[in-house]
Structure formats: structure tokens, C-alpha cells
Amino acid sequence: MTVPEVDQSAAAEAAPAVGGVLEGVQVSCWFGARKVLEGVDIKMDAGVVTALIGPSGCGKSTFLRTLNRMHELVPIATLAGSVLLDGHDIYGAGLRLTEVRRRIGMVFQKPNPFPAMTIADNVAAGLRLTGRKVRDRDELIETSLRRAGLWNEVRNRLGAPAGGLSGGQQQRLCIARSLAVSPDVLLMDEPCSALDPTSTRRIEETILELKDQVTIVIVTHNMQQAQRVSQHCAFFLAAEDEPGRVVEQGPTEQIFSDPHDPRTADYVNGRFG
Amino acid sequence: MRTTGPEGSVTSDVPEAGPRAEEPRKLEARLTDADRFYRAFVAAGAGTTLVLITLIGLFLLNGAWPALKTSGLSFLTTLTWGPDGEPPKFGVAAMMFGTFVSAAVAMLITVPIAVCTALFINEYAPRAVRRSLTSLVDLMAAIPSLIFAIWGLFFLVPLLAPLEDWAVAQFHGWLPLAEASATGGSLFNAGLIIACMAIPITTSIIREVLAQAPRHECEGALALGGTRWGMISSVILPFGRSGIVGGSMLGLGRALGETLAATLILSIAFEIKPRILENGGITVASGIAIEFRDAQELGLSALMAAGLALFLVTFAINLLAALVVNRKPAGARA
């Protein structure tokens, strides 16, 4: 497959100038009768990377999945409260479900490229899935791969199956795939937990490069990672037999250097969790 | 591997290291007794299957030999069935044609319905309905084919007769449909009833396989803004391709060998009739069932030959299916 050289202005044009503002308002979640999350209020601003931290089982991944309506895929899952994208309720009748998910992309813990498709087809998969057409498919593929920092590694094998890439490359392919449908927000659910340190660093670089174009929300167990990539940070905690709550949130620097809550201090200093 | 040391007398467990390995070394492993036992056990099982199939083939070939010697290659081209006549004149052409046509009709009906039913149960049906639908389909797979055949003969075929008459009147002359009769003993109707028999088992297998599609890939498709159908076409169907082919093959096996439906429905006619709604036809299985009663010595041998032909055809089709299933893009899911 030949790909025409892309001129930078066109690439910049394809990318949205700035991401969307996402806001969770009094979000509570249940699985069946068990309440796992209570009254979460977090505003995730454009141009800011928001990190959700906390020990396992505190509801941070659940919260992330409410932000693009993946939570409801679990049959017994319910929720209360609302999530606003640029002021519009994503659970309201005004926005189509598929449109919500296109505008709020998601990268999962385990890289999940479509194994039967080629690398190029994976990047463009969102177009087919959302029924969108672009003028220049090849250019979109290149732009998306460049934005995900994968272009140079795969430019000569776009027609190869995606299953042949390394774990870190697959994860960046998934990021490229999400970017190709030009989302306003990108949710990342522990995107590096299955990756080696080098791949992790590449992903973190990608996050920092993207943050001015797409609003990023990242769940991470890695305290250093939260400090490196995020500007806003929310600490989730669930006491035994109680739903998870946000204990404290604020600028990442303050959360790590001068937390107001002693539990936050214990967690970020590695004393539990 | 035991090698001889440089002195020529010392034996060692360690293979001599050459300057550079020119070819891969031989790998050996010592099995435990338990390993050896289970290996022998499962190998015996697999071996039995192979031996059985070989024995069946040999038995058929042995029985068919006199007839094949008499008829020669004309066995493949002759339409009529008169092995005990004078001179004997018989062949599988009409029966094979009928088998293929009814099986093809059955598969054309079965596969789309089975795939759609499986997808509906797995992806669209409300959870409360899902479980009962699944058991219902599995239950249907257990209904004896005789029930389907009788139901088809006394209910479905008469019900469809006006529709088929209408189709014949509309498309007469330019589609392979003509002259449906009141009794409806056509290859199409036989195929239709066979499809009813094959749908439950095919659905059951396909549903089982499609339910195994990796959830995280499905979520990946949905998270891109995909519709449910988008997820199905980009993740579930590519994943389940081999299962769909496998399930269909089981259905096809049933269609090729189905005796009862074809015997009850078809008006016997040893002819090749490309107009599939036309009354009359014969399949290998129903032909054997019908002719068996009155067969003399050469007649029996000829029926064995017909059975052998069906055996080989079924074998070839399954082999073909295996090739289709194994033809995966390189590097895809192991």
C-alpha cells in the first residue's frame, strides 16, 4: 500500500483544535443490588489530563466506564446522576448512543486490536463501524498513526495483520484507532498495565502530545505515571462493604505534595493499596 | 543423544558443540508413566475412529465391487436404476443430482436462518428470553427426523403448494422452477423439510461458537461508536467463521444422508430435473432405502456402490470445509 506524504497543515486540520469538557455529576453505580460508587463529581477539563487513582475495587474503572456508556453493557449494571459532554447529558435523549461513544473514545487495559484485520484496517475500523466516509482514507490512517506515535514503526507493513505487533505497539494501534474517529475525549483504563517500561514511556509521551487536542482521562495504578502525565487528579477509595467515593481531588502536584486528607497521603506515599 | 567424545571412547550425555549449529538439534524428553499412559489412551481413541472409518469404506468397496465391475464408468453417468434387469443398467447420476440439489436447497435455507437465530439469541434477545430460547433450540435438535418428515408431508408441503404454484406461474421459463404439482413431491420441498431438521443442530453449534467471541474485542468495537451490527460484522462473525462452517457442515452431513424426509416427500423419479419445484426426484439415501427391499444379488451390490459414492462425497465435502476453515490470514489468532 502506498501512502502519500501528508502535509502538516492538513494533519493539523484533521485534528480537533481542543477537546471536549466532560463532567460527572453525582454519579452513583450499582451492580445488581450492590452499590459500588457513590456521588462522584469530577470535572474533566479540555487540555488537561485527569488521572483517576486509588486501590483496586474502589470504583475508578467503573466510573470511567460510565463516561462513555460502557458501564451499561454489563447486564445488571445501573447508575444514577449524569455525565455531561460540553454541557449535554450523554445519558439523555438528545445524544445518540453511538455518537456518544464515537466522541468519547476508550483505550482498554488489555490491547484489543481486531486480530483478523490488517494494521491499516484496524485504524480505519471506526469509519466502517460508524458509517463515516473520509476523503482520503490513507491520509487519515497515517495521521492517526503519527498522532499515536506508531507511524515510523509500521509504515512499511500497514498490510500486515495487527496480531503480529508487540503489546506496546498494539496498544498504540488501539490509540490510533480511537483517534481516527476524531473523538473529543479519550478515556484510558490502565493503558500501560500490561506493558513493559519502554512501551509505557512511549504511551506516556503520546498522552502528553495529545492532551491539547483531546481531553484525556486515565485510570492508573502507577503513582509515578499519574504524576508524569496528569495535571488533575482524583483519589477514589472504598471502605469495606461501602461504595467507592472520591476522597480528594485537585491539581496533581497538590495531591502528591500536599494532600489534605490523611488517607490520600497514605496512598500516594505507598503506605497501602 | 549419546555422542562419542574426542577420544573415541568416552560417552557423554552432552552433545558435542560444533563450531556453529548448522541444523537444529534433536530434542528428546523423558515422559512420566502417567504421561505415557494418557497418551496411549487418547491415541487409542483417535485410532479407533480412524479404523472404523477405514473399515466402513473397505466394507462398502468390497460389497460394491461386483456392481462396479459390471457397470464400469457408466455407473457415474447412468440415470436409471435397473441392476437386476437383463442386461443390468444402473447408475448414481440421478440420485447424486437429487442429493446435491436437495442438500443445496437445505443449506441455502439453513445457514442464514441458523446464523441469524444464533445472533439474535446471543446479542439481541432480552436476558429473560435468552435462556429459554437456547433450551428450545437444543430441544428441537433432539426431535426425531420422522416427526419433521410427517409434519412436512401433511402440513408444510400442502400449505406451501399454492405459493409454489404461484411462483411457477410467475417465473415459468426463466428460472429453474416449473410445474409444481398438487402433491409437491419435489426436490425443493424435500430440501425444505431437510432444512427444518438441520436448523436446530446448526443453530445450536453456531450459537455456542459465537458466544465465545472475545468480549474485550466486542467492547473495542462498541467504544469506537460502532452499532451492534457493526460489532457483529467486525468482531463476532470473523471470529466465528470456522464455527459457522463447522456447524453448517454438520447440518450438511445431515442433509446429504437424510433418508426419511426424502423418502416420504419425493415422488420417485430416476431423472435429472433441473426445475427444482417439479414433482419427482430421488436422492442416494432415499434411493437405497426404497430399492433395498426388492434388490437381488447385483442389486444389493449396486446399492453398496451408491452408498460408497455418498460416503466419498461426504468425505470430500468435509475435507473441503476443513481447508476453508484453516485458511486464515497469517499471524491472525493462533
Side-chain angles (χ1 to χ4, degrees), chain B residues 83-111:
Chain B
D84 297 318
E86 206 45 64
K89 189 169 183 314
F90 57 93
V92 282
M95 294 201 286
M96 270 299 169
F97 176 80
T99 300
F100 279 129
V101 169
S102 59
V105 168
M107 283 298 102
L108 282 177
I109 299 170
T110 300
V111 176

PDB file of all heavy atoms in Angstrom, chain B residues 83-111:
ATOM      1  N   PRO B  83     -30.521 -52.671 -11.743  1.00  0.00           N
ATOM      2  CA  PRO B  83     -29.376 -53.575 -11.621  1.00  0.00           C
ATOM      3  C   PRO B  83     -29.765 -55.042 -11.793  1.00  0.00           C
ATOM      4  O   PRO B  83     -28.920 -55.863 -12.160  1.00  0.00           O
ATOM      5  CB  PRO B  83     -28.854 -53.313 -10.208  1.00  0.00           C
ATOM      6  CG  PRO B  83     -30.034 -52.769  -9.470  1.00  0.00           C
ATOM      7  CD  PRO B  83     -30.858 -52.034 -10.464  1.00  0.00           C
ATOM      8  N   ASP B  84     -31.030 -55.360 -11.523  1.00  0.00           N
ATOM      9  CA  ASP B  84     -31.424 -56.767 -11.635  1.00  0.00           C
ATOM     10  C   ASP B  84     -32.129 -57.057 -12.943  1.00  0.00           C
ATOM     11  O   ASP B  84     -32.701 -58.124 -13.137  1.00  0.00           O
ATOM     12  CB  ASP B  84     -32.318 -57.139 -10.433  1.00  0.00           C
ATOM     13  CG  ASP B  84     -31.545 -57.004  -9.137  1.00  0.00           C
ATOM     14  OD1 ASP B  84     -30.366 -57.410  -9.096  1.00  0.00           O
ATOM     15  OD2 ASP B  84     -32.099 -56.446  -8.169  1.00  0.00           O
ATOM     16  N   GLY B  85     -32.104 -56.077 -13.829  1.00  0.00           N
ATOM     17  CA  GLY B  85     -32.718 -56.306 -15.141  1.00  0.00           C
ATOM     18  C   GLY B  85     -31.782 -57.094 -16.047  1.00  0.00           C
ATOM     19  O   GLY B  85     -30.682 -57.498 -15.653  1.00  0.00           O
ATOM     20  N   GLU B  86     -32.230 -57.293 -17.274  1.00  0.00           N
ATOM     21  CA  GLU B  86     -31.409 -58.039 -18.229  1.00  0.00           C
ATOM     22  C   GLU B  86     -31.323 -57.264 -19.539  1.00  0.00           C
ATOM     23  O   GLU B  86     -32.313 -57.177 -20.261  1.00  0.00           O
ATOM     24  CB  GLU B  86     -32.051 -59.425 -18.462  1.00  0.00           C
ATOM     25  CG  GLU B  86     -31.113 -60.530 -18.895  1.00  0.00           C
ATOM     26  CD  GLU B  86     -29.813 -60.598 -18.115  1.00  0.00           C
ATOM     27  OE1 GLU B  86     -29.816 -60.862 -16.889  1.00  0.00           O
ATOM     28  OE2 GLU B  86     -28.762 -60.365 -18.746  1.00  0.00           O
ATOM     29  N   PRO B  87     -30.251 -56.616 -19.913  1.00  0.00           N
ATOM     30  CA  PRO B  87     -28.997 -56.540 -19.153  1.00  0.00           C
ATOM     31  C   PRO B  87     -29.117 -55.540 -18.003  1.00  0.00           C
ATOM     32  O   PRO B  87     -29.928 -54.623 -18.097  1.00  0.00           O
ATOM     33  CB  PRO B  87     -28.017 -56.049 -20.210  1.00  0.00           C
ATOM     34  CG  PRO B  87     -28.842 -55.197 -21.116  1.00  0.00           C
ATOM     35  CD  PRO B  87     -30.209 -55.812 -21.149  1.00  0.00           C
ATOM     36  N   PRO B  88     -28.303 -55.674 -16.943  1.00  0.00           N
ATOM     37  CA  PRO B  88     -28.353 -54.703 -15.838  1.00  0.00           C
ATOM     38  C   PRO B  88     -27.911 -53.317 -16.302  1.00  0.00           C
ATOM     39  O   PRO B  88     -26.897 -53.193 -17.007  1.00  0.00           O
ATOM     40  CB  PRO B  88     -27.379 -55.288 -14.807  1.00  0.00           C
ATOM     41  CG  PRO B  88     -26.521 -56.230 -15.562  1.00  0.00           C
ATOM     42  CD  PRO B  88     -27.322 -56.738 -16.721  1.00  0.00           C
ATOM     43  N   LYS B  89     -28.711 -52.313 -15.916  1.00  0.00           N
ATOM     44  CA  LYS B  89     -28.376 -50.939 -16.315  1.00  0.00           C
ATOM     45  C   LYS B  89     -28.675 -50.034 -15.127  1.00  0.00           C
ATOM     46  O   LYS B  89     -29.825 -49.929 -14.693  1.00  0.00           O
ATOM     47  CB  LYS B  89     -29.247 -50.557 -17.523  1.00  0.00           C
ATOM     48  CG  LYS B  89     -28.863 -49.238 -18.165  1.00  0.00           C
ATOM     49  CD  LYS B  89     -29.602 -49.071 -19.503  1.00  0.00           C
ATOM     50  CE  LYS B  89     -29.243 -47.822 -20.259  1.00  0.00           C
ATOM     51  NZ  LYS B  89     -29.196 -46.616 -19.485  1.00  0.00           N
ATOM     52  N   PHE B  90     -27.635 -49.463 -14.554  1.00  0.00           N
ATOM     53  CA  PHE B  90     -27.869 -48.645 -13.357  1.00  0.00           C
ATOM     54  C   PHE B  90     -26.733 -47.640 -13.170  1.00  0.00           C
ATOM     55  O   PHE B  90     -25.629 -47.825 -13.680  1.00  0.00           O
ATOM     56  CB  PHE B  90     -27.986 -49.535 -12.111  1.00  0.00           C
ATOM     57  CG  PHE B  90     -26.764 -50.404 -11.885  1.00  0.00           C
ATOM     58  CD1 PHE B  90     -25.729 -49.966 -11.073  1.00  0.00           C
ATOM     59  CD2 PHE B  90     -26.665 -51.643 -12.496  1.00  0.00           C
ATOM     60  CE1 PHE B  90     -24.614 -50.750 -10.875  1.00  0.00           C
ATOM     61  CE2 PHE B  90     -25.539 -52.433 -12.308  1.00  0.00           C
ATOM     62  CZ  PHE B  90     -24.507 -51.990 -11.493  1.00  0.00           C
ATOM     63  N   GLY B  91     -27.029 -46.561 -12.429  1.00  0.00           N
ATOM     64  CA  GLY B  91     -26.012 -45.553 -12.130  1.00  0.00           C
ATOM     65  C   GLY B  91     -26.518 -44.578 -11.099  1.00  0.00           C
ATOM     66  O   GLY B  91     -27.708 -44.544 -10.778  1.00  0.00           O
ATOM     67  N   VAL B  92     -25.595 -43.792 -10.549  1.00  0.00           N
ATOM     68  CA  VAL B  92     -25.950 -42.883  -9.456  1.00  0.00           C
ATOM     69  C   VAL B  92     -26.238 -41.465  -9.926  1.00  0.00           C
ATOM     70  O   VAL B  92     -26.481 -40.591  -9.099  1.00  0.00           O
ATOM     71  CB  VAL B  92     -24.828 -42.787  -8.396  1.00  0.00           C
ATOM     72  CG1 VAL B  92     -24.853 -43.990  -7.502  1.00  0.00           C
ATOM     73  CG2 VAL B  92     -23.490 -42.556  -9.037  1.00  0.00           C
ATOM     74  N   ALA B  93     -26.170 -41.193 -11.228  1.00  0.00           N
ATOM     75  CA  ALA B  93     -26.253 -39.799 -11.688  1.00  0.00           C
ATOM     76  C   ALA B  93     -27.505 -39.100 -11.164  1.00  0.00           C
ATOM     77  O   ALA B  93     -27.416 -38.003 -10.584  1.00  0.00           O
ATOM     78  CB  ALA B  93     -26.203 -39.758 -13.212  1.00  0.00           C
ATOM     79  N   ALA B  94     -28.677 -39.743 -11.345  1.00  0.00           N
ATOM     80  CA  ALA B  94     -29.918 -39.093 -10.913  1.00  0.00           C
ATOM     81  C   ALA B  94     -29.952 -38.944  -9.397  1.00  0.00           C
ATOM     82  O   ALA B  94     -30.340 -37.899  -8.871  1.00  0.00           O
ATOM     83  CB  ALA B  94     -31.124 -39.900 -11.390  1.00  0.00           C
ATOM     84  N   MET B  95     -29.504 -39.994  -8.700  1.00  0.00           N
ATOM     85  CA  MET B  95     -29.532 -39.960  -7.239  1.00  0.00           C
ATOM     86  C   MET B  95     -28.585 -38.890  -6.687  1.00  0.00           C
ATOM     87  O   MET B  95     -28.929 -38.153  -5.767  1.00  0.00           O
ATOM     88  CB  MET B  95     -29.160 -41.332  -6.673  1.00  0.00           C
ATOM     89  CG  MET B  95     -30.178 -42.407  -6.996  1.00  0.00           C
ATOM     90  SD  MET B  95     -30.108 -43.814  -5.890  1.00  0.00           S
ATOM     91  CE  MET B  95     -28.646 -44.632  -6.430  1.00  0.00           C
ATOM     92  N   MET B  96     -27.385 -38.808  -7.297  1.00  0.00           N
ATOM     93  CA  MET B  96     -26.425 -37.797  -6.856  1.00  0.00           C
ATOM     94  C   MET B  96     -26.963 -36.407  -7.105  1.00  0.00           C
ATOM     95  O   MET B  96     -26.856 -35.510  -6.260  1.00  0.00           O
ATOM     96  CB  MET B  96     -25.089 -37.969  -7.608  1.00  0.00           C
ATOM     97  CG  MET B  96     -24.129 -38.896  -6.914  1.00  0.00           C
ATOM     98  SD  MET B  96     -23.723 -38.255  -5.277  1.00  0.00           S
ATOM     99  CE  MET B  96     -22.883 -39.663  -4.590  1.00  0.00           C
ATOM    100  N   PHE B  97     -27.549 -36.222  -8.280  1.00  0.00           N
ATOM    101  CA  PHE B  97     -28.118 -34.921  -8.601  1.00  0.00           C
ATOM    102  C   PHE B  97     -29.158 -34.543  -7.560  1.00  0.00           C
ATOM    103  O   PHE B  97     -29.133 -33.438  -6.999  1.00  0.00           O
ATOM    104  CB  PHE B  97     -28.753 -34.956  -9.999  1.00  0.00           C
ATOM    105  CG  PHE B  97     -29.447 -33.680 -10.351  1.00  0.00           C
ATOM    106  CD1 PHE B  97     -28.737 -32.580 -10.798  1.00  0.00           C
ATOM    107  CD2 PHE B  97     -30.831 -33.576 -10.211  1.00  0.00           C
ATOM    108  CE1 PHE B  97     -29.381 -31.406 -11.095  1.00  0.00           C
ATOM    109  CE2 PHE B  97     -31.487 -32.396 -10.511  1.00  0.00           C
ATOM    110  CZ  PHE B  97     -30.761 -31.302 -10.952  1.00  0.00           C
ATOM    111  N   GLY B  98     -30.053 -35.478  -7.272  1.00  0.00           N
ATOM    112  CA  GLY B  98     -31.104 -35.214  -6.289  1.00  0.00           C
ATOM    113  C   GLY B  98     -30.522 -34.905  -4.918  1.00  0.00           C
ATOM    114  O   GLY B  98     -30.966 -33.981  -4.221  1.00  0.00           O
ATOM    115  N   THR B  99     -29.486 -35.654  -4.535  1.00  0.00           N
ATOM    116  CA  THR B  99     -28.845 -35.432  -3.235  1.00  0.00           C
ATOM    117  C   THR B  99     -28.255 -34.036  -3.156  1.00  0.00           C
ATOM    118  O   THR B  99     -28.472 -33.288  -2.197  1.00  0.00           O
ATOM    119  CB  THR B  99     -27.731 -36.477  -3.017  1.00  0.00           C
ATOM    120  OG1 THR B  99     -28.314 -37.775  -3.046  1.00  0.00           O
ATOM    121  CG2 THR B  99     -27.051 -36.268  -1.681  1.00  0.00           C
ATOM    122  N   PHE B 100     -27.524 -33.668  -4.207  1.00  0.00           N
ATOM    123  CA  PHE B 100     -26.878 -32.350  -4.199  1.00  0.00           C
ATOM    124  C   PHE B 100     -27.903 -31.227  -4.191  1.00  0.00           C
ATOM    125  O   PHE B 100     -27.783 -30.255  -3.446  1.00  0.00           O
ATOM    126  CB  PHE B 100     -25.948 -32.198  -5.403  1.00  0.00           C
ATOM    127  CG  PHE B 100     -24.615 -32.836  -5.195  1.00  0.00           C
ATOM    128  CD1 PHE B 100     -24.087 -33.710  -6.118  1.00  0.00           C
ATOM    129  CD2 PHE B 100     -23.873 -32.560  -4.056  1.00  0.00           C
ATOM    130  CE1 PHE B 100     -22.852 -34.315  -5.922  1.00  0.00           C
ATOM    131  CE2 PHE B 100     -22.647 -33.151  -3.840  1.00  0.00           C
ATOM    132  CZ  PHE B 100     -22.125 -34.030  -4.787  1.00  0.00           C
ATOM    133  N   VAL B 101     -28.930 -31.371  -5.044  1.00  0.00           N
ATOM    134  CA  VAL B 101     -29.911 -30.292  -5.141  1.00  0.00           C
ATOM    135  C   VAL B 101     -30.676 -30.137  -3.824  1.00  0.00           C
ATOM    136  O   VAL B 101     -30.806 -29.032  -3.303  1.00  0.00           O
ATOM    137  CB  VAL B 101     -30.883 -30.526  -6.312  1.00  0.00           C
ATOM    138  CG1 VAL B 101     -32.046 -29.558  -6.236  1.00  0.00           C
ATOM    139  CG2 VAL B 101     -30.153 -30.359  -7.626  1.00  0.00           C
ATOM    140  N   SER B 102     -31.138 -31.245  -3.264  1.00  0.00           N
ATOM    141  CA  SER B 102     -31.901 -31.106  -2.017  1.00  0.00           C
ATOM    142  C   SER B 102     -31.009 -30.611  -0.891  1.00  0.00           C
ATOM    143  O   SER B 102     -31.419 -29.783  -0.074  1.00  0.00           O
ATOM    144  CB  SER B 102     -32.570 -32.432  -1.646  1.00  0.00           C
ATOM    145  OG  SER B 102     -31.601 -33.438  -1.481  1.00  0.00           O
ATOM    146  N   ALA B 103     -29.743 -31.075  -0.865  1.00  0.00           N
ATOM    147  CA  ALA B 103     -28.822 -30.602   0.171  1.00  0.00           C
ATOM    148  C   ALA B 103     -28.506 -29.127  -0.012  1.00  0.00           C
ATOM    149  O   ALA B 103     -28.437 -28.369   0.963  1.00  0.00           O
ATOM    150  CB  ALA B 103     -27.538 -31.422   0.157  1.00  0.00           C
ATOM    151  N   ALA B 104     -28.340 -28.707  -1.272  1.00  0.00           N
ATOM    152  CA  ALA B 104     -28.039 -27.300  -1.532  1.00  0.00           C
ATOM    153  C   ALA B 104     -29.214 -26.426  -1.108  1.00  0.00           C
ATOM    154  O   ALA B 104     -29.034 -25.391  -0.455  1.00  0.00           O
ATOM    155  CB  ALA B 104     -27.720 -27.093  -3.015  1.00  0.00           C
ATOM    156  N   VAL B 105     -30.420 -26.844  -1.465  1.00  0.00           N
ATOM    157  CA  VAL B 105     -31.610 -26.099  -1.046  1.00  0.00           C
ATOM    158  C   VAL B 105     -31.658 -26.027   0.476  1.00  0.00           C
ATOM    159  O   VAL B 105     -31.853 -24.959   1.064  1.00  0.00           O
ATOM    160  CB  VAL B 105     -32.897 -26.778  -1.588  1.00  0.00           C
ATOM    161  CG1 VAL B 105     -34.131 -26.179  -0.910  1.00  0.00           C
ATOM    162  CG2 VAL B 105     -32.984 -26.622  -3.087  1.00  0.00           C
ATOM    163  N   ALA B 106     -31.419 -27.184   1.110  1.00  0.00           N
ATOM    164  CA  ALA B 106     -31.474 -27.234   2.574  1.00  0.00           C
ATOM    165  C   ALA B 106     -30.452 -26.278   3.181  1.00  0.00           C
ATOM    166  O   ALA B 106     -30.756 -25.531   4.114  1.00  0.00           O
ATOM    167  CB  ALA B 106     -31.225 -28.659   3.057  1.00  0.00           C
ATOM    168  N   MET B 107     -29.229 -26.263   2.635  1.00  0.00           N
ATOM    169  CA  MET B 107     -28.185 -25.413   3.200  1.00  0.00           C
ATOM    170  C   MET B 107     -28.470 -23.938   2.967  1.00  0.00           C
ATOM    171  O   MET B 107     -28.228 -23.095   3.819  1.00  0.00           O
ATOM    172  CB  MET B 107     -26.825 -25.792   2.590  1.00  0.00           C
ATOM    173  CG  MET B 107     -26.232 -27.052   3.166  1.00  0.00           C
ATOM    174  SD  MET B 107     -25.900 -26.901   4.938  1.00  0.00           S
ATOM    175  CE  MET B 107     -27.252 -27.775   5.631  1.00  0.00           C
ATOM    176  N   LEU B 108     -29.005 -23.622   1.778  1.00  0.00           N
ATOM    177  CA  LEU B 108     -29.322 -22.222   1.478  1.00  0.00           C
ATOM    178  C   LEU B 108     -30.375 -21.691   2.448  1.00  0.00           C
ATOM    179  O   LEU B 108     -30.406 -20.500   2.757  1.00  0.00           O
ATOM    180  CB  LEU B 108     -29.827 -22.089   0.039  1.00  0.00           C
ATOM    181  CG  LEU B 108     -28.735 -22.126  -1.023  1.00  0.00           C
ATOM    182  CD1 LEU B 108     -29.335 -22.054  -2.428  1.00  0.00           C
ATOM    183  CD2 LEU B 108     -27.769 -20.957  -0.813  1.00  0.00           C
ATOM    184  N   ILE B 109     -31.231 -22.565   2.922  1.00  0.00           N
ATOM    185  CA  ILE B 109     -32.237 -22.142   3.896  1.00  0.00           C
ATOM    186  C   ILE B 109     -31.662 -22.189   5.309  1.00  0.00           C
ATOM    187  O   ILE B 109     -31.849 -21.272   6.104  1.00  0.00           O
ATOM    188  CB  ILE B 109     -33.488 -23.046   3.805  1.00  0.00           C
ATOM    189  CG1 ILE B 109     -34.106 -22.927   2.412  1.00  0.00           C
ATOM    190  CG2 ILE B 109     -34.500 -22.684   4.885  1.00  0.00           C
ATOM    191  CD1 ILE B 109     -35.195 -23.948   2.134  1.00  0.00           C
ATOM    192  N   THR B 110     -30.915 -23.253   5.590  1.00  0.00           N
ATOM    193  CA  THR B 110     -30.457 -23.486   6.970  1.00  0.00           C
ATOM    194  C   THR B 110     -29.458 -22.433   7.456  1.00  0.00           C
ATOM    195  O   THR B 110     -29.644 -21.845   8.527  1.00  0.00           O
ATOM    196  CB  THR B 110     -29.791 -24.874   7.081  1.00  0.00           C
ATOM    197  OG1 THR B 110     -30.739 -25.858   6.719  1.00  0.00           O
ATOM    198  CG2 THR B 110     -29.314 -25.135   8.494  1.00  0.00           C
ATOM    199  N   VAL B 111     -28.393 -22.210   6.669  1.00  0.00           N
ATOM    200  CA  VAL B 111     -27.287 -21.409   7.187  1.00  0.00           C
ATOM    201  C   VAL B 111     -27.709 -19.984   7.552  1.00  0.00           C
ATOM    202  O   VAL B 111     -27.444 -19.536   8.677  1.00  0.00           O
ATOM    203  CB  VAL B 111     -26.095 -21.428   6.209  1.00  0.00           C
ATOM    204  CG1 VAL B 111     -24.988 -20.513   6.704  1.00  0.00           C
ATOM    205  CG2 VAL B 111     -25.582 -22.849   6.057  1.00  0.00           C
TER     206      VAL B 111
END
